[in-house]
Amino acid sequence: MKKIIIYYSFTGNNESLYRELQRRLNCEAFSILEPKRRTWLTILLDMLFDRRPRIELFPVDLRKYDMVILMSPVWNAHIANPMKSFIDKEKDHLKEYAFLTVCGGRQGQKEKLLQELKLLTGKTPAAVAELEIGKLPVEEGKQPKNGSMYRIQSQDPDTWAPEISGFLKALESVEV
């Protein structure tokens, strides 16, 4: 099965994770880029008004891939708006897809993400996984109150190994 990772990362967390996943899958990966630099204000406005920001043209024909792995932050229990822009443009070219995120891990969020992905694409994803920052071991009193303030450390993927393995196993079970 030919796979590709498409990721959006505002803080660098999902970018760090894509490298780990790409190493394990030995596949191509591309970043969703925006022509204008994003700020916390634009994130807030996009969330409030469900705006779809402009993204740069995408250089890859996704029809060549059996599985597209989407990775992006989750903002207020919703997929980041730049990823929504990408999905709006490319949903007809997705044979199979899955979604993986580094996030704060709000209760019930995974089910919301699954429903949002179905609504955006018209298809059920092969897998949805959240790698929760709150599950990482940190020094007492150092746990970030806001997951967006945390930056992935080199040892963090080891902590998420069961979640990552489960996600990859779900991808292997997909028949194309």
Side-chain angles (χ1 to χ4, degrees):
M1 177 184 313
K2 192 169 181 184
K3 300 176 186 84
I4 187 171
I5 299 168
I6 307 298
Y7 72 94
Y8 173 75
S9 188
F10 178 67
T11 63
N13 284 340
N14 282 283
E15 183 174 2
S16 294
L17 180 61
Y18 107 79
R19 288 189 181 106
E20 173 67 17
L21 202 62
Q22 184 182 36
R23 182 186 65 75
R24 291 182 186 209
L25 293 173
N26 191 28
C27 67
E28 291 183 86
F30 289 92
S31 175
I32 296 170
L33 301 173
E34 297 179 274
K36 292 178 85 174
R37 181 154 165 68
R38 180 161 290 279
T39 66
W40 290 107
L41 178 60
T42 56
I43 289 172
L44 178 64
L45 292 172
D46 286 352
M47 287 189 312
L48 285 173
F49 299 108
D50 197 26
R51 299 187 315 188
R52 299 296 198 273
R54 288 187 316 131
I55 59 174
E56 292 185 10
L57 290 175
F58 200 68
V60 176
D61 182 359
L62 294 180
R63 292 173 289 202
K64 295 178 183 176
Y65 299 91
D66 301 309
M67 173 62 69
V68 178
I69 300 163
L70 304 173
M71 297 176 62
S72 84
V74 173
W75 296 333
N76 196 29
H78 293 281
I79 296 164
N81 291 58
M83 179 58 77
K84 289 181 187 179
S85 292
F86 173 81
I87 292 171
D88 286 346
K89 290 179 185 227
E90 297 291 338
K91 66 184 171 195
D92 293 335
H93 302 129
L94 301 175
K95 291 178 186 174
E96 293 285 346
Y97 76 100
F99 182 79
L100 180 64
T101 185
V102 174
C103 63
R106 190 183 283 185
Q107 182 133 9
Q109 179 173 269
K110 186 174 180 180
E111 292 75 21
K112 286 182 180 182
L113 293 174
L114 179 62
Q115 292 306 313
E116 185 174 27
L117 286 163
K118 284 181 185 179
L119 185 66
L120 289 168
T121 65
K123 302 176 190 180
T124 301
V128 174
E130 299 175 296
L131 305 180
E132 296 178 26
I133 291 169
K135 290 185 177 179
L136 295 172
V138 294
E139 292 177 41
E140 193 168 326
K142 300 277 185 173
Q143 184 67 34
K145 292 179 183 170
N146 181 339
S148 65
M149 298 304 170
Y150 183 81
R151 297 300 170 263
I152 288 182
Q153 307 299 307
S154 60
Q155 70 276 9
D156 292 345
D158 293 337
T159 303
W160 291 318
E163 291 89 348
I164 293 171
S165 293
F167 180 77
L168 295 176
K169 192 170 191 161
L171 298 183
E172 290 172 9
S173 68
V174 174
E175 294 184 28
V176 182

